[in-house]
Amino acid sequence: MALTDAKLRSLKPTDKLFQVSDGGGLFVEVMPGGAMPWRLRYRLYGKQEKVTLGDYPAYSLADARHWREDCGALVGRGVSPMALKRGDAIPDDVAVAVKERAQKFIDDWCMHVRKKIEAKEAEARAASTVKAFAERWFSEVAGPSNSNPRNIRRILDKDVIPGMGEKQVADVTADDVLAITDKIKARGADQMALATRNVLKRLFAYAIARGLTKFNPAAAVEAKYIATAKSREVALSSDEVGRLLRSIYQSSMKRANKLALHLLILCMVRKSELIEARWDEVDFDEAVWSIPGERMKKDRAHIVPLSRQALAMFDELKGLSSGSEFIFPSRNTLKKPIAHSTLNVAVRTLELDVRDFVLHDFRRTASTLLHEAGFNSDWIEKCLAHETKGIRGVYNRAEYIGHRREMLQWWADFVDAQIEEGRKVIIGRFGKAYRAA
């Protein structure tokens, strides 16, 4: 059995000399004093000879094997390695052959070393591309430190890696960052462009800490040149409303949550007013939802005229609520409504290509688009349950019911049109049974 370095290291001297073979005539002798010389047996002209190289580990196993090959070449030419070691003259042709073999060994070794260096350099270059480092940053930093890393993952996969993934981290410039953010802004997603710049800023800060670059190209691009962060002042465009609702209905979230998000847009109520709603507040015959004052922000009762679509959604939710008094009962108990974070979490799971928003922005979105459509501001403010000061505030509220019902029906039809614009999306039969009403 051939020797190994581990086996050589484990050999211990005994009272008597013993030998351990590596094959091909090569063996190591273990002397009682601990020396371990390499020796080689070979036959030349019918006689057996033995020659010594030197002690292990001064001569490694690899050295001994190369020596065995060289001795074999000499024996093949009829030259005795033992005689050469004694200093006998070497025939000219043998000397040339030995020199050529030595040169070939040197050349092969240099090529081996050069290939290893090139492989390490290629490995280092591959590890320092934006794509490779982004994966490292996400797994080591962004993923573990964020409660919702899905948005960061989406930014990396959708824009950063396709846009600059093959570039070396140290070669990325501010122009490269702007090229990506400009492309995102061209989609009408200014806030997403700003979020992407912020993700890149954090990624390159980590790259600096890891010694891959000395420059943060994203930090060199001021946020104000991309977009102004307006976390509480977002009004989605009509196109964004359509894209949002298509994403909601194409997602795997619970049906009741899909309907809840749709109703938030159609009814213009606050999230807490919707998720805490009870069935005794909904009058299907009159098509109104009466929210008691104790559940309203201003402690004043609020009436929501229901569009055909909204009424059909409540009708479907009746079958999904499992007999609970709450329209949106908790998954754990029918005696409580869903948690306040449920709809927020549901939205965060979506793959969205719209601006960053919060659910409260649905109210602002409806108000903005209704104002743009020319509807009376008083009707809109009443739908939002905003308090109106002065004479207008004491005007007979009942007079707005009819106007608000017409406006909210127009709004529900308008939202439907945004969802259905050139796409086939299964959202349900909202309003089909109530079209003639």
Side-chain angles (χ1 to χ4, degrees):
M1 185 178 294
L3 286 170
T4 64
D5 285 316
K7 186 172 182 180
L8 283 166
R9 288 194 297 269
S10 69
L11 294 176
K12 304 297 181 184
T14 63
D15 294 338
K16 294 183 179 180
L17 175 149
F18 67 94
Q19 301 172 353
V20 184
S21 174
D22 187 54
L26 178 65
F27 61 94
V28 67
E29 281 187 346
V30 183
M31 313 293 283
M36 296 171 59
W38 289 107
R39 306 194 196 281
L40 179 70
R41 290 192 185 94
Y42 57 91
R43 297 188 70 83
L44 183 65
Y45 305 125
K47 293 175 59 177
Q48 182 169 282
E49 294 183 355
K50 183 170 67 173
V51 66
T52 301
L53 170 64
D55 289 349
Y56 174 85
Y59 290 90
S60 68
L61 177 59
D63 293 334
R65 286 172 175 171
H66 284 304
W67 174 65
R68 178 179 58 194
E69 292 176 9
D70 290 340
C71 289
L74 290 171
V75 171
R77 287 178 170 271
V79 178
S80 169
M82 184 177 66
L84 290 177
K85 190 171 181 71
R86 287 197 307 260
D88 295 352
I90 305 175
D92 290 343
D93 62 330
V94 174
V96 170
V98 171
K99 184 176 181 181
E100 289 176 351
R101 182 176 178 82
Q103 186 61 51
K104 185 177 186 304
F105 173 78
I106 293 171
D107 292 342
D108 289 347
W109 179 252
C110 289
M111 178 64 73
H112 172 71
V113 171
R114 185 158 53 248
K115 285 183 177 179
K116 288 190 70 173
I117 292 173
E118 290 173 353
K120 284 188 176 292
E121 289 176 346
E123 184 180 343
R125 284 195 300 273
S128 59
T129 62
V130 172
K131 179 179 180 179
F133 188 75
E135 297 295 344
R136 176 183 175 185
W137 172 72
F138 185 81
S139 64
E140 294 180 358
V141 179
S145 64
N146 283 270
S147 59
N148 183 37
R150 186 185 179 93
N151 289 339
I152 296 175
R153 181 76 261 178
R154 179 164 58 88
I155 287 172
L156 294 177
D157 291 342
K158 182 164 187 172
D159 294 297
V160 173
I161 293 175
M164 61 170 68
E166 299 307 313
K167 296 198 70 158
Q168 293 289 298
V169 170
D171 294 339
V172 177
T173 66
D175 286 340
D176 293 324
V177 175
L178 282 170
I180 289 177
T181 57
D182 287 347
K183 185 176 180 180
I184 299 171
K185 289 174 68 176
R187 302 199 300 257
D190 290 16
Q191 294 301 314
M192 183 60 70
L194 181 58
T196 301
R197 174 263 184 189
N198 293 340
V199 165
L200 284 170
K201 183 179 177 182
R202 292 165 56 195
L203 185 153
F204 280 98
Y206 190 59
I208 291 173
R210 288 297 180 180
L212 270 70
T213 185
K214 296 181 179 179
F215 172 64
N216 190 325
V221 179
E222 291 192 40
K224 65 182 180 181
Y225 297 140
I226 300 175
T228 302
K230 298 180 179 180
S231 60
R232 299 297 294 174
E233 299 179 12
V234 173
L236 301 176
S237 67
S238 58
D239 182 62
E240 287 175 317
V241 169
R243 276 185 275 156
L244 171 61
L245 284 168
R246 280 194 294 275
S247 295
I248 289 172
Y249 282 108
Q250 290 170 334
S251 74
S252 60
M253 75 172 66
K254 290 176 58 178
R255 178 68 175 178
N257 291 344
K258 295 178 181 180
L259 301 180
L261 292 167
H262 199 160
L263 283 169
L264 273 181
I265 295 176
L266 297 191
C267 296
M268 301 170 63
V269 295
R270 298 175 180 88
K271 181 181 68 174
S272 62
E273 295 160 4
L274 178 70
I275 65 177
E276 295 173 6
R278 300 169 184 263
W279 284 115
D280 59 9
E281 299 171 4
V282 179
D283 187 330
F284 284 90
D285 294 331
E286 297 297 327
V288 294
W289 170 20
S290 301
I291 307 175
E294 61 266 22
R295 291 208 304 103
M296 294 297 298
K297 186 175 181 180
K298 298 293 184 179
D299 294 324
R300 295 179 180 177
H302 180 56
I303 296 176
V304 181
L306 297 176
S307 64
R308 292 187 296 271
Q309 291 89 332
L311 199 61
M313 290 182 203
F314 278 116
D315 189 40
E316 181 178 347
L317 286 164
K318 190 77 172 176
L320 298 175
S321 61
S322 303
S324 172
E325 64 178 305
F326 292 99
I327 296 175
F328 299 99
S330 167
R331 181 175 59 181
N332 300 320
T333 173
L334 297 178
K335 297 181 179 180
K336 292 183 179 180
I338 58 176
H340 278 248
S341 61
T342 299
L343 297 183
N344 302 73
V345 171
V347 167
R348 284 202 297 267
T349 65
L350 298 175
E351 294 287 346
L352 297 178
D353 188 18
V354 300
R355 285 172 290 174
D356 291 338
F357 67 93
V358 294
L359 295 185
H360 190 77
D361 295 327
F362 289 168
R363 286 162 55 83
R364 185 177 297 102
T365 296
S367 174
T368 299
L369 294 177
L370 287 170
H371 274 106
E372 289 177 355
F375 284 96
N376 186 296
S377 182
D378 286 342
W379 307 348
I380 297 171
E381 292 300 298
K382 272 299 187 229
C383 283
L384 295 171
H386 286 168
E387 182 179 356
T388 305
K389 303 291 184 180
I391 298 298
R392 293 168 62 189
V394 297
Y395 187 72
N396 185 357
R397 298 173 187 174
E399 288 211 8
Y400 289 146
I401 288 291
H403 296 307
R404 287 196 289 136
R405 184 179 297 280
E406 292 177 7
M407 182 179 71
L408 288 177
Q409 185 58 59
W410 179 93
W411 173 236
D413 293 339
F414 176 83
V415 171
D416 272 357
Q418 310 316 306
I419 302 174
E420 297 168 0
E421 182 186 347
R423 279 100 170 168
K424 293 181 180 179
V425 178
I426 304 299
I427 65 171
R429 297 179 56 80
F430 304 142
K432 302 296 184 184
Y434 296 86
R435 293 293 186 188

